[in-house]
C-alpha cells in the first residue's frame, strides 16, 4: 500500500512539474525573451547570452544548469533528486519547443513584465508544490550560501541581482529595471501558489469572561479554541487568552458572539495564509 502511494505521489509530482515547467517556459517565450527581460536566474542569463550569440535559450539553460548541478552534488551531496533533473530537462525542452511556434503577445515592456512575472511565478509555484525545481537560482543560492554564509534568501537575491546587473550592462538600464519588477512579481506569485488562496483568520481574545466566550465560540461557530496562559504587563494580573482559527465568513459572527458576552473584550484578528488540520485543509 505504501509503495502504491509513493508511486502515485511521484506520478502526480511529475505531472505537476511538467505543467509548471510548461507555464514557466511559456512566460519566457511569450513575454520575457522577446522583450529582452532577463528576470534573474539561469533563464535570465541564458536570455542575455541568446541575444549576444543567438544560441537557443532552452539548450543554454540546460547547459548552464549542468555544471551547477554537478557542483552542488560534489559540495553538498545529492540534495537534488530525480524531480530536479526532470524539471531542468523539461523546462529547457519546452522553451525551445515553444519558441518557434508560440506567438509573442506583446512588445509593451510593462505588460510583458507583469504577465511574464505572473505566468512564470504560477508555473514555478506549481513546480515547487510538486517538490521539484527547474534548477538555476536554487542551486546557485545553495553554493553561495555554502561558501559565503549568506542565507538562502540573500543568496537568491544576490544571484538574481547579478543577472539583472548584466542585463543593464548588455541591454540597457530600463530593461534591467523591468527585469527587477518581474523578479518581484515572480516571487509574490510563487508565494501565493504555495500558500494558497484560502485565507483564514487567526483570532486572539482577552476577556474577563473567557469561559463563556469559549463555550459560545465552540457551540455557535463549531470551532476549536485553545486557551493560552498570560498575564497583564501593566497590572501583573493573570489572564486567559483565547486563540482560534476561523474562516473569513465567520468574522462577523465571532464579533457578535464576543460582543454579546463582553463588550470590553480585547480582540485581535489577523490574516493566516494557510491552515492545515481538522476543519481546514488536510496535511499532505
Amino acid at each position: 500500500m505504501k509503495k502504491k502511494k509513493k508511486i502515485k505521489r511521484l506520478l502526480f509530482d511529475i505531472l505537476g512539474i511538467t505543467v509548471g515547467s510548461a507555464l514557466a517556459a511559456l512566460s519566457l517565450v511569450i513575454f520575457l525573451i522577446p522583450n529582452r527581460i532577463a528576470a534573474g536566474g539561469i533563464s535570465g542569463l541564458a536570455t542575455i547570452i541568446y541575444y549576444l550569440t543567438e544560441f537557443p535559450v532552452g539548450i543554454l539553460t540546460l547547459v548552464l544548469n549542468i555544471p551547477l548541478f554537478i557542483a552542488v552534488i560534489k559540495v553538498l551531496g545529492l540534495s537534488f533528486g530525480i524531480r530536479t533533473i526532470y524539471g531542468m530537462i523539461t523546462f529547457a525542452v519546452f522553451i525551445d519547443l515553444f519558441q518557434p511556434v508560440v506567438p509573442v503577445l506583446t512588445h509593451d515592456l510593462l505588460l510583458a513584465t507583469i504577465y511574464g512575472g505572473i505566468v512564470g511565478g504560477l508555473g514555478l509555484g506549481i513546480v515547487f508544490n510538486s517538490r521539484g525545481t527547474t534548477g538555476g537560482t536554487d542551486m546557485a543560492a545553495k553554493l553561495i550560501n555554502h561558501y559565503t554564509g549568506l542565507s538562502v534568501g540573500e543568496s537568491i537575491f544576490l544571484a538574481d541581482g547579478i543577472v539583472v546587473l548584466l542585463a543593464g550592462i548588455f541591454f540597457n538600464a530600463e530593461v534591467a529595471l523591468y527585469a527587477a519588477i518581474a523578479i518581484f512579481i515572480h516571487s509574490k506569485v510563487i508565494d501565493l501558489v504555495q500558500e494558497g488562496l484560502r485565507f483564514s483568520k487567526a483570532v486572539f481574545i482577552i476577556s474577563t469572561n473567557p469561559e463563556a466566550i469559549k463555550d459560545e465560540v465552540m457551540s455557535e461557530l463549531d470551532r476549536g479554541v485553545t486557551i493560552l496562559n498570560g498575564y497583564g504587563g501593566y497590572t501583573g494580573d493573570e489572564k486567559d487568552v483565547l486563540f482560534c482559527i476561523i474562516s473569513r465568513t465567520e468574522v462577523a459572527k465571532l464579533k457578535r458572539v464576543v460582543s454579546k458576552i463582553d463588550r470590553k473584550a480585547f480582540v485581535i484578528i489577523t490574516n493566516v495564509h494557510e491552515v492545515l488540520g481538522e476543519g481546514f485543509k488536510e496535511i499532505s
Side-chain angles (χ1 to χ4, degrees), residues 25-75:
L26 277 173
S27 76
L28 287 170
V29 171
I30 295 174
F31 300 110
L32 302 181
I33 295 172
N35 293 288
R36 301 191 177 200
I37 299 171
I42 292 296
S43 59
L45 184 58
T47 300
I48 295 169
I49 297 171
Y50 166 72
Y51 276 101
L52 296 174
T53 65
E54 295 188 0
F55 205 78
V57 176
I59 295 173
L60 271 171
T61 302
L62 189 58
V63 167
L64 291 170
N65 265 321
I66 288 170
L68 266 178
F69 184 73
I70 293 168
V72 168
I73 291 173
K74 281 188 176 180
V75 174

Side-chain angles (χ1 to χ4, degrees), residues 10-235:
L10 179 62
L11 290 173
F12 271 111
D13 286 347
I14 293 297
L15 178 62
I17 293 168
T18 305
V19 172
S21 296
L23 284 172
L26 277 173
S27 76
L28 287 170
V29 171
I30 295 174
F31 300 110
L32 302 181
I33 295 172
N35 293 288
R36 301 191 177 200
I37 299 171
I42 292 296
S43 59
L45 184 58
T47 300
I48 295 169
I49 297 171
Y50 166 72
Y51 276 101
L52 296 174
T53 65
E54 295 188 0
F55 205 78
V57 176
I59 295 173
L60 271 171
T61 302
L62 189 58
V63 167
L64 291 170
N65 265 321
I66 288 170
L68 266 178
F69 184 73
I70 293 168
V72 168
I73 291 173
K74 281 188 176 180
V75 174
L76 303 173
L78 195 59
S79 56
F80 293 89
I82 187 171
R83 291 173 180 82
T84 293
I85 297 169
Y86 179 75
M88 282 164 47
I89 294 170
T90 307
F91 180 53
V93 168
F94 276 134
I95 293 171
D96 286 347
L97 196 66
F98 290 151
Q99 203 165 6
V101 294
V102 178
V104 177
L105 292 188
T106 181
H107 284 290
D108 182 296
L109 282 175
L110 183 59
L111 286 176
T113 298
I114 293 170
Y115 285 100
I118 291 171
V119 177
L122 179 62
L124 290 176
I126 293 170
V127 171
F128 295 156
N129 270 358
S130 303
R131 299 187 292 178
T133 172
T134 55
T137 305
D138 293 344
M139 295 191 293
K142 281 193 175 286
L143 288 174
I144 294 169
N145 166 254
H146 178 77
Y147 285 113
T148 66
L150 292 172
S151 71
V152 173
E154 290 169 336
S155 300
I156 288 173
F157 180 78
L158 178 61
D160 285 341
I162 291 169
V163 174
V164 170
L165 183 63
L166 289 172
I169 293 169
F170 290 106
F171 298 149
N172 58 62
E174 185 184 35
V175 172
L177 291 173
Y178 278 113
I181 294 171
I183 291 168
F184 177 77
I185 295 170
H186 254 125
S187 64
K188 291 300 175 186
V189 175
I190 289 169
D191 289 344
L192 192 62
V193 173
Q194 291 193 291
E195 292 169 359
L197 290 168
R198 285 179 280 189
F199 290 97
S200 298
K201 299 286 184 178
V203 183
F204 294 88
I205 304 166
I206 302 170
S207 168
T208 54
N209 198 354
E211 281 295 323
I213 293 174
K214 179 202 72 174
D215 292 341
E216 197 74 8
V217 169
M218 290 174 71
S219 62
E220 290 293 318
L221 276 75
D222 195 26
R223 293 293 184 190
V225 179
T226 300
I227 300 174
L228 309 172
N229 295 320
Y231 64 91
Y234 179 72
T235 63

